[in-house]
């Protein structure tokens, strides 16, 4: 997978919040085999700055994708992104501008505004958005080269709630990397996204809050690899009627006429 001219060996992006311990976090990252991990500037500074969380993340060898989690305005997100670039030494940024405190749905207007400013400032922007095609067009016009539509509200674990809309988005932007971000609760849901042709999946809670985060991280890594392999192999189309897998030509006729 290639994102912003960077080749990545894994299609799983993993969040770093809510794990029971730093050791479990690093073991889960290793088990999942993910090449990108996300972290908020607020979490990094809350865990001791240069002497805490940041060295832990560096030691994993994964690429860091800072995010603007918790921001509710374009200016707040822009300022947070600029600070994150200084702290983490990367121009990659996952752009979140929350518009509703209950659903954590992104604010499309502030999102596009912030994306335009950050792209002009040299950031490689990964915008957390909905499956709305018009918003997606505006984000691409602003300079984004990747889109991250939600599967369901953050932390809900409900999977892909609007499959038809996501399929339409995939078909509408065939050459744009699309990453399902948020709402994935089970490996089967991640595999479904990959089978639909999405390029990657970003998740956090489903691994961090699992009974065994390390085993769950491994399961998600395997599910995403299997889903992508199935997509590339070419899934059979669904049918309205049964079709026998065994040919009927040459079978014996045991009706009233006997064998023929």
């Amino acid at each position: 997978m290639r994102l912003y001219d960077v080749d990545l060996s894994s299609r799983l992006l993993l969040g770093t919040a809510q794990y029971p311990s730093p050791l479990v976090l690093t073991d889960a990252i290793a088990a999942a085999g993910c090449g990108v991990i996300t972290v908020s500037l607020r979490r990094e500074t809350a865990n001791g700055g240069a002497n805490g969380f940041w060295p832990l993340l560096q030691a994993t060898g994964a690429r860091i994708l800072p995010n603007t989690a918790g921001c509710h305005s374009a200016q707040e997100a822009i300022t947070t992104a600029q600070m994150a670039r200084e702290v983490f030494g990367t121009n990659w940024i996952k752009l979140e501008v929350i518009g509703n405190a209950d659903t954590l749905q992104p604010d499309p207007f502030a999102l596009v505004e912030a994306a335009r400013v950050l792209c002009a400032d040299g950031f490689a922007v990964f915008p957390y958005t909905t499956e709305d095609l018009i918003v997606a067009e505006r984000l691409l016009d602003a300079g984004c080269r990747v889109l991250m539509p939600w599967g369901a509200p953050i932390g809900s674990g409900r999977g892909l709630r609007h499959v038809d809309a996501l399929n339409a988005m995939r078909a509408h932007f065939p050459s744009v990397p699309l990453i399902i971000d948020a709402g994935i609760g089970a490996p089967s849901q991640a595999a479904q996204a990959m089978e639909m042709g999405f390029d990657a999946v970003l998740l956090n809670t489903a691994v961090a809050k699992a009974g065994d985060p390390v085993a769950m991280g491994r399961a998600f890594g395997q599910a995403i690899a299997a889903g992508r392999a199935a997509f590339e192999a070419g899934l059979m189309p669904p049918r309205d009627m049964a079709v026998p897998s065994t040919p009927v030509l040459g079978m014996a006729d045991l009706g009233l006429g006997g064998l023929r």
Side-chain angles (χ1 to χ4, degrees), residues 84-108:
R85 180 164 60 182
E86 295 298 319
V87 171
F88 295 105
T90 177
N91 67 335
W92 279 27
I93 192 74
K94 178 190 171 187
L95 180 61
E96 296 183 27
V97 187
I98 301 302
N100 184 282
D102 292 327
T103 64
L104 301 181
Q105 180 172 334
D107 179 335

Side-chain angles (χ1 to χ4, degrees), residues 11-16 36-39 65-67 94 96 126 128 148-151 178-185 190 193-194 199-206 220 224:
R11 295 177 181 271
L12 171 60
L13 292 75
L14 197 60
T16 57
V36 176
I37 52 177
T38 67
V39 62
L65 175 60
N67 66 52
K94 178 190 171 187
E96 296 183 27
F126 293 70
Y128 162 61
M148 303 182 73
W150 65 349
L178 300 180
I179 301 172
I180 294 294
D181 177 15
I184 297 297
M194 300 307 296
D199 296 277
V201 173
L202 192 159
L203 57 96
N204 185 170
T205 309
F220 268 105
I224 287 172

